[in-house]
Amino acid sequence: MTRSSTSAALALLAALALPLAAGCASEAADDEASSDALTEYDAVVKNGTKIESSSAPTESESARTRLVGFLKGRTVTAVSTQLLKVAKWKDIEDGEGNKPFTAARVTDDDESGGTRTLNAHLTLDGGVELDVRATAKQSDGAAAISLVNTSEYRHWLAGKVLEKGKLKIDVKIVPHAKDGATDGVIVDATAKVKLAAAEDKAPGLTRSLVPIFGWLKSTTQP
């Protein structure tokens, strides 16, 4: 594997951040003032997708990204079902049209006691292969989905780069109501990773949430 392909594989889903709504300075100030009284989710519906990232490595994390976005007119079930169509993840593109997954397939899919457990095998850009497990359950009208890597990634030169269980994505999908009626769902997702090597690549990895959310927005039917 070449150095360039290794970098691409480690970055995985690095993408341009989704642009937030823009306006003149006075309008921005007014929006900020009026948003103070809103809940976080209501502010996202009003002002656009919220993305927060941390790239300062700690003992437990190399990087973390949180994305909160609104999908108008979608349901919790439709969004959670679409997210778990892992075999279609190869269709995900970043802001420049690059596809971070060259292949994806589900190896096991089971539901028991109200919890769905799905195992999948992904081939990433650069030829890196990774196994992931997703668990999903719905409660009180909302859905919670967690994904974690169940295989490690080693590079012939750098050695162990990603250990099992060190890449995690937690997603909450909750209905949003306006004037007493549900008008869509909030996707509240956090990705975090701890790399054993090449920690400078970690922020690009956790920003995978951006193209995943964009894919959900464009493919989930109302």
Side-chain angles (χ1 to χ4, degrees):
M1 185 181 297
T2 65
R3 179 173 298 179
S4 60
S5 64
T6 299
S7 297
L10 290 172
L12 301 183
L13 296 172
L16 298 175
L18 295 176
L20 301 180
C24 67
S26 60
E27 290 174 338
D30 291 343
D31 284 344
E32 182 177 356
S34 63
S35 294
D36 288 342
L38 299 176
T39 66
E40 179 184 36
Y41 288 174
D42 286 337
V44 166
V45 174
K46 177 181 174 61
N47 300 322
T49 304
K50 174 182 178 180
I51 302 169
E52 299 175 327
S53 292
S54 172
S55 58
T58 67
E59 185 176 344
S60 59
E61 298 177 4
S62 298
R64 170 191 290 258
T65 295
R66 180 173 180 240
L67 181 150
V68 184
F70 177 60
L71 297 180
K72 184 176 177 63
R74 276 69 161 194
T75 65
V76 169
T77 298
V79 175
S80 59
T81 298
Q82 185 67 14
L83 180 58
L84 291 174
K85 292 181 179 178
V86 179
K88 294 184 177 295
W89 283 17
K90 59 183 179 295
D91 299 329
I92 295 176
E93 296 183 354
D94 65 17
E96 298 178 343
N98 300 311
K99 292 187 175 183
F101 300 106
T102 58
R105 60 184 174 86
V106 173
T107 58
D108 182 68
D109 192 348
D110 179 66
E111 187 166 354
S112 177
T115 298
R116 182 180 176 187
T117 303
L118 182 150
N119 292 287
H121 184 80
L122 305 176
T123 303
L124 311 179
D125 180 31
V128 174
E129 298 192 7
L130 200 65
D131 293 325
V132 299
R133 174 177 296 135
T135 57
K137 63 172 58 180
Q138 290 198 28
S139 177
D140 299 325
I145 300 174
S146 296
L147 300 97
V148 62
N149 68 303
T150 56
S151 66
E152 64 180 25
Y153 168 57
R154 286 179 173 270
H155 182 253
W156 67 272
L157 182 60
K160 185 181 293 185
V161 177
L162 176 64
E163 298 178 350
K164 296 179 182 179
K166 296 300 184 179
L167 170 61
K168 299 178 181 179
I169 300 177
D170 294 311
V171 184
K172 292 187 294 184
I173 305 171
V174 300
H176 181 270
K178 180 180 180 181
D179 300 327
T182 301
D183 60 348
V185 301
I186 295 290
V187 176
D188 185 344
T190 299
K192 55 186 179 180
V193 66
K194 179 61 178 179
L195 297 180
E199 285 193 289
D200 60 310
K201 304 301 181 183
L205 174 56
T206 61
R207 283 196 295 268
S208 65
L209 293 180
V210 178
I212 289 175
F213 178 75
W215 175 74
L216 284 174
K217 187 173 184 179
S218 65
T219 60
T220 305
Q221 296 299 313

